[in-house]
C-alpha cells in the first residue's frame, strides 16, 4: 500500500503529512465549504480527516484493511480558517483485526478523538 | 431551525429529502470523487451522509444541538453510482441530551449504521 | 452452542428468557448489590445484562463469536427493584463479522441501548 | 465525592488503588465466577472494571457526573487467575461534559480499551 491520497481526500483538501507503519498524519485547513448550519466546522469533515489518517495507518502494513467500527468524540467547536492535523497511532495490531486512535489537533488543543477498528483481509495472490 | 442544507452538504452533493420533528432523510449518489484507496465509497463520505441526517433530526425541535459522541458500523462496501439514503430516527429525547439512529440504505440493503448523541443547548434569547 | 448461562450470569442473577438464531432475551431484577455510588443501578451491571444477550445472540448460529467493539448509550437512571429485560436482535450477519442491537427495557421504557460487533471464528473440527 | 467503592464493586471484587482529580486505578483478580461460555473472562466483567475506574475519575472533581455514552474495544482474551488493572485518565474536561480513556492492563499487555463520556450535573446546594 503506497497510495497516500485518494479522490475523496482531494475533494476535501486533505494532505498526507506522514505515513509509516502503524502511523499517519493528515492535515487540512477548514474552508467555508466545510461549515455546518451553526457556522462551525461540520462534524462529517472532522470525521473524514480522522478517517483518512485511520485508513492510511491501518493499510500501512501491506495487508488490506477495511473499517468495521468507529467512534468519534467531539470536544471543541472548530472555526473556518483553523489548520487541523489528525494523528493516527496503533492501539492494537492483531492478526485479523487492529485498532487505531486518531487525535484531531488545532495547534495545542485536541478538538476531537476518533477510535477505529479494522478487519484485516487475507493477502491476495 | 429551518435550514435544510449547509455548505458542507452542498460540497458533497447531499440532499435533504425529509425533515420533521425527530426525523430526517438525506440522500446522495456516490460519485467518483467520493471513492477511497480501495476504489469503494470512502467511509468518511458515508459518515458525512449519516451525520447530515443526524444534525437535521437533532436540531429539528428548535433547541440547538451539538454532537458529543457518535459511532459508525460499516456492513457492506458501496460502489460508485449507488444511490444512498440516510434515515434518522430518535432513540431518546431527554432535556439536555438526545440520541439518534441513522441507517444508511442502498435500495433494500442497510450498508452502515450510525448512532449519535447530542448535547442540547439552552435556548438563547 | 447450546449453553444459555455461564458463571458470570449466575453471579449477577441474569436469566435467559429466549434464545433463537440471531435473537436473545436476558432478564434480571436490580438488587441492592447492583447499585453505584449515586444509589442507582451501576452502568457496569446494565452493560453486563446487555452483553449477556449479545453473547447468546451472536453465538446462536453455531459459529463461535467473540466481541470486538461495543457501545452503550445510557438514557434513564434505573433504581433497585426494577425488573429489566435486554432484547438482542441482529443488525447485520456477515461471514466474518456480525453486529447486534440490544435494548434494555424497564417495562415500556428503553433505559439503555447497546450496539456490539463480533468476530466470527472459523468452525473448528 | 469521596466514596472509593460501591456495592457493585464489592460484588465483583473490584478494589480502588488510586483516586486523584481526573485519574483512577481499579484492580481485580479474575475468578471462576467471572468467566463466560467460552471459559474466558466475561466481557461484562472487563467492562465493569473499566466502568468503575471511569465513574471514580469522572466524579473526582466534586461535580456529580453520569455516563452518557461509552465504547469498549476488546484486544485479548483474559483467563481466570489474571490480575487486571483499569487505568482511567481524562481526555477532555468541559463545563457540562467530559471524556475519559480507560486502559485495562494485564501485566504489560493492554487487553481492552474503554472510552466514556459523562454529563456533569449542576452542583447541588
Amino acid at each position: 500500500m503506497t497510495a497516500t491520497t485518494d479522490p475523496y481526500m482531494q475533494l476535501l483538501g486533505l494532505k498526507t503529512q506522514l505515513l509509516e507503519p502503524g502511523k499517519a498524519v493528515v492535515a487540512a485547513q477548514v474552508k467555508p465549504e466545510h461549515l455546518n448550519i451553526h457556522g462551525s466546522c461540520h462534524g462529517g469533515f472532522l470525521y473524514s480527516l480522522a478517517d483518512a489518517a485511520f485508513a492510511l495507518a491501518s493499510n500501512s502494513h501491506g495487508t488490506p484493511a477495511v473499517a468495521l467500527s468507529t467512534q468519534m468524540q467531539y470536544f471543541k467547536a472548530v472555526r473556518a480558517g483553523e489548520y487541523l492535523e489528525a494523528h493516527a497511532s496503533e492501539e492494537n495490531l492483531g492478526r485479523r483485526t487492529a485498532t487505531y486512535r486518531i487525535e484531531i489537533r488545532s495547534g495545542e488543543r485536541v478538538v476531537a478523538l476518533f477510535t477505529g477498528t479494522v478487519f484485516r483481509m487475507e493477502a491476495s495472490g
Side-chain angles (χ1 to χ4, degrees), chain A:
Chain A
M1 179 58 52
T2 56
T4 60
T5 189
D6 62 31
Y8 186 65
M9 289 178 66
Q10 290 168 38
L11 176 65
L12 297 188
L14 313 183
K15 312 278 190 206
T16 300
Q17 306 282 52
L18 173 88
L19 178 55
E20 51 185 62
K23 294 201 175 197
V25 177
V26 175
Q29 191 166 29
V30 181
K31 302 261 176 69
E33 62 265 33
H34 303 146
L35 301 184
N36 67 15
I37 51 177
H38 299 303
S40 55
C41 183
H42 201 286
F45 180 79
L46 294 175
Y47 180 96
S48 294
L49 176 64
D51 195 54
F54 171 51
L56 290 168
S58 63
N59 280 281
S60 67
H61 296 291
T63 301
V66 295
L68 281 179
S69 175
T70 62
Q71 296 95 43
M72 186 89 174
Q73 318 287 329
Y74 294 98
F75 297 153
K76 313 282 186 199
V78 171
R79 303 296 167 191
E82 289 191 48
Y83 172 79
L84 301 174
E85 287 185 349
H87 288 250
S89 58
E90 209 157 58
E91 294 276 10
N92 183 59
L93 179 64
R95 195 170 65 89
R96 303 311 301 275
T97 64
T99 297
Y100 297 82
R101 169 189 175 90
I102 296 92
E103 287 186 5
I104 302 183
R105 302 179 193 160
S106 176
E108 297 295 302
R109 299 185 314 154
V110 177
V111 297
L113 177 64
F114 173 111
T115 309
T117 296
V118 291
F119 181 68
R120 306 178 75 211
M121 323 235 291
E122 305 288 2
S124 57

